[in-house]
Amino acid sequence: MLFPEIPNIPYRGGEDFLSFRWYNPDEVILGKTMKEHCKFALAWWHTLCAEGADMFGGGTADKAFGADKSDYMAYAKAKADAGFEIMQKLGIDCFCFHDHDLVEEAPTLAESNKRLDEITDYIKTKMDETGIKCLWGTCNAFSHKRFMAGAGTSPSADIFAYAAAKIKKAVELTVKLGGTGYVFWGGREGYETLLNTDMRLEQENLARLIKMTIQYARSIGFKGDFYIEPKPKEPSKHQYDVDVASTCNFLRAHGLMGEVKMNVEANHATLAGHTFQHELRAAADNGVFGSIDANQGDLMLGWDTDQFPSDVYSATMCMLEVIRAGGFTNGGLNFDAKTRRMSYTIEDIFHGFITGMDTYALGLRKACQLIEDGRIAQFAEERYASYKTGIGADIVLGKAGLVELEQYSLQREPQLPPSGRQEMLEGIVNCILFEGKPRMRRWNDVPPPV
Ligand code: XLS
Ligand code: CA
Ligand code: CA
């Protein structure tokens, strides 16, 4: 055991440290256990690799986990040991990884692949022992300098080929570990300036690479989902997968709709100038809701801070969208999150996860209360009632065109649309969030006299 001082984290419903206050894994809510609703996962890169370096200074956290880091395999195994101990103590059933989170990249592709085979043998044994699963795998095609100008969108065909070779291996590892998803995050798939960029060819090539990957993965028995993870910027000034809507356009333009879903990250949503809820709704409405990278950004900053989530409001809206989308199938809530540079101890990692898991558990509880309360959904439904009958139904059914609508409008002046009642709805949300009970029975009930 690497962290004997850390106990298994129980649900206590109290305020003591190192226990859950809101996450009670086996409690059934809306017909499913909290564990099934949330499907939490650990991100190998942040939890086991990131040591807190930023552009002004090196790491502050010791993530050698007792190993000699120059012995790459001993170090890789120590990270795996630490990861499984953390997941077991927290009751997290899944992990996500990039190829070279698992073991340091070697000078040649062949040697790298050998290392990956060895470490995944080790990880697989631990998975069999613990029952822990792989939520998704991905390929790091952005850190090495060869990928400075992208991978699938590189101007160099040799780099495209190398990225394809690396992705082939990452897909094989995902299949070997039984992953239920494979993620494309376009790390440097974008540009710095159009002066040197053939945007059309770059995007066509990206689509080619994705198609090759799907075809190969299916040929070796991958049954899970493919996800693109939208992000508007950082490290590239402009990344092609800006947000869910532009990524859907990319998928449609290249005949990939139906083949690829979205891995929506909270921090990337806000970087794109959207709420997290907006991105989830856009994914669900386009039939591409898949998985979630649960974290949060700092709205004061313009970059990806990947913080553990603590914003209950945002988590509530997220779980509302997840439930409305029918819940997770192959996806889950992956904590793509790291402790702050000043929170450098192992206890901090546990606090990060506990706060993150409790935030989502509370969000789930509040989302269910909002659904049971029903007023918000009912209000939105009634707001569009005019499309159910009469001219509205004709519009929706395609029975009315401009001529009919002109005829209709020449006969009557429209009334103003119904009030949006945003402030009232926000008040309802606050009541449920902070009091846990409805203020009025129905949105249009008259409040009792004071
Ligand atoms: C980076 C991304 C990355 C993906 C996986 O911003 O969040 O970590 O989730 O490649
Ligand atoms: Ca992410
Ligand atoms: Ca991120």
Side-chain angles (χ1 to χ4, degrees):
M1 200 185 286
L2 283 161
F3 322 116
E5 70 282 18
I6 309 275
N8 288 340
I9 308 299
Y11 166 69
R12 282 221 188 88
E15 284 175 18
D16 36 343
F17 286 133
L18 299 181
S19 74
F20 294 113
R21 178 170 169 82
W22 291 290
Y23 181 56
N24 185 10
D26 299 321
E27 185 178 331
V28 175
I29 302 186
L30 282 185
K32 274 203 259 184
T33 62
M34 293 186 89
K35 199 185 246 271
E36 288 163 337
H37 274 290
C38 295
K39 286 187 69 190
F40 290 128
L42 167 146
W44 212 272
W45 54 103
H46 282 316
T47 306
L48 305 170
C49 308
E51 297 182 328
D54 66 16
M55 55 282 233
F56 293 96
T60 55
D62 175 8
K63 298 257 176 102
F65 303 114
D68 170 4
K69 283 174 93 174
S70 64
D71 179 346
Y72 63 84
M73 198 46 72
Y75 172 44
K77 287 181 178 169
K79 286 198 293 185
D81 292 344
F84 279 89
E85 187 175 329
I86 293 169
M87 287 186 273
Q88 280 186 290
K89 287 187 166 167
L90 287 162
I92 290 181
D93 285 343
C94 301
F95 63 86
C96 301
F97 72 97
H98 301 83
D99 46 3
H100 288 295
D101 300 338
L102 304 183
V103 63
E104 194 188 326
E105 193 169 358
T108 67
L109 183 64
E111 175 57 22
S112 285
N113 287 352
K114 240 201 264 161
R115 289 185 185 185
L116 288 165
D117 290 338
E118 189 179 337
I119 191 63
T120 47
D121 285 345
Y122 185 73
I123 290 172
K124 203 167 178 317
T125 312
K126 298 196 76 91
M127 292 171 75
D128 293 341
E129 279 164 20
T130 58
I132 285 172
K133 299 186 173 58
C134 171
L135 189 71
W136 52 257
T138 187
C139 175
N140 182 332
F142 45 85
S143 292
H144 192 282
K145 65 182 175 186
R146 68 174 78 87
F147 298 122
M148 65 173 82
T153 64
S154 174
S156 154
D158 279 1
I159 302 296
F160 182 104
Y162 199 92
K166 220 167 164 283
I167 288 174
K168 174 175 178 284
K169 187 67 184 175
V171 165
E172 289 164 2
L173 299 175
T174 304
V175 172
K176 174 174 173 181
L177 299 180
T180 53
Y182 184 84
V183 166
F184 299 96
W185 172 57
R188 293 182 194 271
E189 312 294 29
Y191 64 80
E192 293 299 317
T193 171
L194 283 176
L195 293 175
N196 62 14
T197 301
D198 183 341
M199 188 154 89
R200 179 197 285 247
L201 179 66
E202 290 202 358
Q203 295 199 52
E204 285 170 356
N205 281 347
L206 186 57
R208 288 187 181 102
L209 185 58
I210 292 172
K211 284 180 188 167
M212 288 175 197
T213 305
I214 295 174
Q215 201 238 330
Y216 179 71
R218 295 298 182 215
S219 80
I220 61 164
F222 178 66
K223 302 226 159 36
D225 285 331
F226 295 96
Y227 309 115
I228 289 183
E229 184 180 317
K231 184 173 184 181
K233 56 187 170 186
E234 203 215 6
S236 306
K237 174 186 122 166
H238 175 91
Q239 308 220 163
Y240 293 131
D241 309 325
V242 175
D243 59 4
V244 170
S246 25
T247 306
C248 284
N249 181 54
F250 168 82
L251 293 178
R252 285 198 180 93
H254 297 282
L256 282 162
M257 211 58 179
E259 306 270 0
V260 182
K261 297 179 180 168
M262 299 291 144
N263 183 40
V264 176
E265 178 176 318
N267 202 158
H268 298 180
T270 51
L271 286 175
H274 302 305
T275 61
F276 184 25
Q277 184 182 17
H278 168 96
E279 287 293 82
L280 292 164
R281 180 77 63 90
D285 285 351
N286 280 285
V288 294
F289 168 72
S291 201
I292 288 179
D293 271 8
N295 60 13
Q296 70 190 34
D298 186 317
L299 297 181
M300 301 293 128
L301 303 176
W303 61 91
D304 197 15
T305 57
D306 287 339
Q307 290 167 231
F308 274 99
S310 60
D311 180 343
V312 177
Y313 204 105
S314 165
T316 301
M317 295 307 145
C318 167
M319 291 315 290
L320 202 55
E321 297 301 323
V322 170
I323 293 168
R324 282 181 180 163
F328 293 115
T329 47
N330 285 326
L333 287 167
N334 168 44
F335 286 108
D336 188 359
K338 58 189 174 200
T339 53
R340 299 302 83 196
R341 193 164 185 267
M342 288 158 282
S343 307
Y344 59 91
T345 72
I346 185 69
E347 287 83 359
D348 291 307
I349 292 180
F350 277 87
H351 288 305
F353 276 103
I354 292 168
T355 296
M357 291 162 81
D358 263 343
T359 298
Y360 270 87
L362 185 54
L364 169 64
R365 290 177 188 278
K366 294 295 165 186
C368 291
Q369 286 175 10
L370 283 167
I371 290 168
E372 277 158 11
D373 176 80
R375 282 174 291 171
I376 303 242
Q378 185 191 349
F379 183 87
E381 170 93 15
E382 288 177 8
R383 189 163 179 238
Y384 296 92
S386 65
Y387 287 96
K388 295 257 160 58
T389 55
I391 194 71
D394 287 350
I395 292 171
V396 170
L397 296 171
K399 289 188 188 162
L402 291 190
V403 174
E404 291 77 12
L405 296 176
E406 183 195 44
Q407 271 304 333
Y408 180 85
S409 298
L410 285 171
Q411 287 158 29
R412 59 183 65 65
E413 281 298 311
Q415 293 179 353
L416 290 177
S419 166
R421 298 255 187 270
Q422 180 171 338
E423 298 76 7
M424 180 196 75
L425 298 170
E426 288 167 347
I428 292 174
V429 172
N430 276 356
C431 280
I432 288 182
L433 244 60
F434 298 106
E435 286 179 6
K437 61 177 162 46
R439 183 177 47 175
M440 297 176 281
R441 279 199 320 109
R442 278 173 44 83
W443 66 268
N444 53 355
D445 279 355
V446 181
V450 185

